[in-house]
Structures are given as structure tokens and as C-alpha cells.
Amino acid sequence: FFLEQRCRPLVSYLYQLGFRDAEFAKLIDARVEVLSLTVATAKSRVLYLSSLGIQPQDLVKIIAKHPRVLEYRTERTMKPRVEYLREIHVEEQDLAKVITRAPVLLELSVNKTLRPRAQYLAQEIGIPDDAIGKLVTKHPAVLTYNSDTMVAPRVRFFLDLGVSKEGLAKMVTRHPQLLHYSIDSMKPRLDYLQAIGMSEEEIITTVSRLGTLFSLSIESSLRPKFEYLTAELGGDVQTVAKFPAYFSLSLDKRIRPRHQFLLSRKGLAGSKMPMKYLSLTDKDFVGLVDSTLKEYEEFKNEMIVRDFAVKFSTCTFPSKV
């Protein structure tokens, strides 16, 4: 890439801002034309974004990933979009986070894109108007999803499955990414729940209470956890139907350590492990079993070492020269 003379002042300014080779490479790949802007123009955009609370390191990330932001006119483009975010109740202290995570919001038309998408969330899914801002703060990309081609088919998928509109609103509020997941990738998770013996009603209840289920791998997450539940914890399909959050817990960092710790403390071998032991915080958990955080942490560390030793017991290490 040959750097023209007229581009050098802006390159120098961006370098002072915190750009390095990696960021310049992203910018050039995304929109090299930006480098022809004047330093005064770039500074005015940076000044406005900084006034919203966006930190220097985040400004660098935004510009590198979405360099068009330096081309947006402050008064005609950026300010109206920011005002709309305020209108839908995005809190002032959250504006920086929202824009940092989805700078493309600063170029989407308020009347043709942002407002219709927010209205769709409220009218078709049932998100309360005063909760839209919290939803956008949690997952800003939700306003970048096309209502007709992306959101509507997923809404129909869940409603056809049997999820109520009220239930769907709660699901989306808790896990907005549901509106982005591929329908083809969600169906195998439903098939798996059916395969382990869940009824249609239990499946609906499970996905309504645990939207993150669709982000979990069957082979590396759902299946190993269910197998451990039935083989070691004395549970069955009814256990996860009543406590779907079990699937969201880490097998190696939460489920196994707590189970093994209980075995060492209370001797639960052969009995069913109450799910309450998994849902508590570490502090409440050790209090319930008359232990301490220090003792539990030491137990987990020893367990990690043992697991490592078993996993790599057949490895041959090179001899010292």
C-alpha cells in the first residue's frame, strides 16, 4: 500500500490516537478512502464520540473496525441516532457501550430502520416499550437485525413450536441472540431434547426458560452433561425438565467439582444429588456443606491436577539433552 502525501497527516493523527499496524491493516481493508479525510474532520468526529464517554482505546477499535464513522456528519448523522437511543430509554451511561459494540447504529436511518425495528420488538414480540432500551444495551446488534428476513422467521419458529408470545418476550429479553441463531442450527437441539425423553410440553418449557440452550453444542456440552447427570448424579430427564439451567452450567468448573466435593464431605454415593447444590454461589454452597471457600478452591485445584495427569498420562516427554 503506497501512502499518498495527502493521507499522511491523518495517519499521523490516528497513530497518536493509538493506531498501530494491526488497526491500520483493518482500516485499509475495510475502507481505505477514509485516509483521505482531513485531520480536522476526523478530530471533530472523535471529539463527539469522546463526549459520549467512549474511551480512547475503544475509539481505536471502533474506527479500525468501522472506519466510516469518521465520515459521518456529527449534526446530520450521528446526533439524531444517539438522540433516538435516548428516546428508547438507553441510559446515558450506557451510550458509549452500545455504540462501541455496534457503531453501525450511527448510520442506520432512524425513521426507516431503527424505529421500525424497535416497534417490531414491541408490537410483534411483546417487549415492553420501557424495556427496549435495556434490551438494546444488553445486545446492541438487535437493532441491526432485519425484521422481515431475520427476526420474523425466528419469531414464527418459536410461536409454531408452542412458545407463547409472553414466553417469547421473556426469552428474547433474557437472550436477544435468539433472533440471530440459524433455524437449521436450533432444530437439532430440539431433536436432542426429544431424544432424551422430553415431552413436547417439557421441551417448550425448557427452551422458554433457557434460551441459551441454542448456543450450546450437543456433542461437547448437552450430551456430556446429561450423561453425567444420569450416570453420576442420580438424575433423569425430569431433573433437567424441572431445572433446565443445569445445561448452562460448566461440567468441569461447576457440576463435577461440586459433586465430587459433596462426595468427599457428605458421602452421597448412590443417592440423588439435589440440584440446589449447583445453583448456589460458591460462598452459599460451602456454607451449606459446612466448609470454606479456601477448602473448596484447594479441592478444585487438586481435581484439575488429577484430571490433567489422567488425560496426559500416556504422553511421552522428550528427555533432557
Side-chain angles (χ1 to χ4, degrees):
F1 172 71
F2 175 73
L3 186 61
E4 296 182 16
Q5 187 68 34
R6 63 194 176 101
C7 299
R8 294 183 181 183
L10 184 60
V11 168
S12 177
Y13 170 70
L14 292 176
Y15 186 86
Q16 293 172 32
L17 196 64
F19 265 64
R20 294 299 180 264
D21 289 352
E23 288 77 29
F24 278 118
K26 289 181 180 178
L27 183 150
I28 291 169
D29 185 58
R31 190 165 178 80
V32 67
E33 298 92 330
V34 164
L35 292 179
S36 64
L37 294 174
T38 66
V39 172
T41 296
K43 278 187 175 180
S44 68
R45 277 50 166 180
V46 168
L47 182 62
Y48 176 69
L49 293 172
S50 298
S51 73
L52 298 174
I54 300 177
Q55 299 301 306
Q57 65 271 22
D58 291 326
L59 281 170
V60 170
K61 294 177 183 177
I62 290 172
I63 298 169
K65 180 181 178 181
H66 199 76
R68 280 179 57 86
V69 73
L70 293 181
E71 297 176 294
Y72 300 158
R73 295 184 179 183
T74 302
E75 296 295 329
R76 291 181 55 183
T77 304
M78 291 196 284
K79 281 190 176 182
R81 276 75 176 171
V82 171
E83 284 305 314
Y84 180 71
L85 293 176
R86 293 187 176 111
E87 181 184 323
I88 59 174
H89 307 295
V90 172
E91 298 291 338
E92 197 68 29
Q93 66 270 20
D94 294 323
L95 287 172
K97 179 170 66 175
V98 169
I99 293 169
T100 297
R101 293 174 62 188
V104 69
L105 293 178
L106 293 177
E107 74 173 40
L108 298 178
S109 168
V110 172
N111 293 323
K112 294 181 179 179
T113 304
L114 297 178
R115 182 170 284 112
R117 289 177 181 177
Q119 289 173 341
Y120 187 95
L121 294 172
Q123 297 169 5
E124 301 300 325
I125 298 179
I127 308 295
D129 288 336
D130 59 359
I132 297 291
K134 292 181 180 179
L135 180 67
V136 171
T137 299
K138 185 175 185 178
H139 190 64
V142 74
L143 287 181
T144 70
Y145 300 159
N146 185 290
S147 299
D148 296 326
T149 61
M150 181 177 290
V151 180
R154 285 148 184 83
V155 169
R156 286 195 298 272
F157 173 77
F158 286 112
L159 293 178
D160 290 346
L161 180 65
V163 176
S164 67
K165 187 173 180 179
E166 181 182 0
L168 179 59
K170 291 179 180 179
M171 288 171 65
V172 172
T173 299
R174 288 193 295 260
H175 195 63
Q177 292 90 334
L178 284 171
L179 300 178
H180 184 258
Y181 291 149
S182 162
I183 292 176
D184 288 340
S185 73
M186 289 193 283
K187 287 180 179 178
R189 273 78 174 172
L190 299 176
D191 292 340
Y192 178 73
L193 295 181
Q194 184 178 41
I196 63 176
M198 277 195 186
S199 67
E200 184 175 325
E201 184 178 350
E202 288 169 339
I203 290 174
I204 294 171
T205 300
T206 298
V207 300
S208 296
R209 294 172 58 188
L210 187 69
T212 54
L213 176 93
F214 296 105
S215 67
L216 302 174
S217 164
I218 294 175
E219 296 304 322
S220 63
S221 182
L222 299 179
R223 194 186 307 281
K225 291 172 186 176
F226 186 71
E227 290 176 348
Y228 191 85
L229 174 74
T230 56
E232 303 293 338
L233 304 184
D236 54 25
V237 67
Q238 296 304 314
T239 307
V240 286
K242 294 176 182 177
F243 183 58
Y246 172 81
F247 280 130
S248 69
L249 303 175
S250 169
L251 180 59
D252 293 326
K253 295 180 180 179
R254 173 73 69 91
I255 300 171
R256 286 186 62 247
R258 291 201 179 179
H259 175 231
Q260 295 299 319
F261 190 67
L262 281 171
L263 289 178
S264 71
R265 300 279 303 182
K266 290 182 173 291
L268 292 178
S271 61
K272 190 172 182 178
M273 177 181 170
M275 291 294 100
K276 67 178 181 181
Y277 286 116
L278 296 177
S279 61
L280 299 170
T281 63
D282 282 353
K283 181 179 179 181
D284 290 338
F285 168 67
V286 296
L288 191 62
V289 298
D290 299 320
S291 184
T292 64
L293 280 172
K294 183 175 184 295
E295 186 177 5
Y296 180 52
E297 287 299 326
E298 289 175 349
F299 179 87
K300 286 198 295 183
N301 290 335
E302 291 174 0
M303 188 174 169
I304 291 172
V305 172
R306 289 197 304 270
D307 289 348
F308 181 87
V310 171
K311 185 175 182 179
F312 295 99
S313 60
T314 58
C315 291
T316 302
F317 294 93
S319 57
K320 293 183 179 180
V321 178

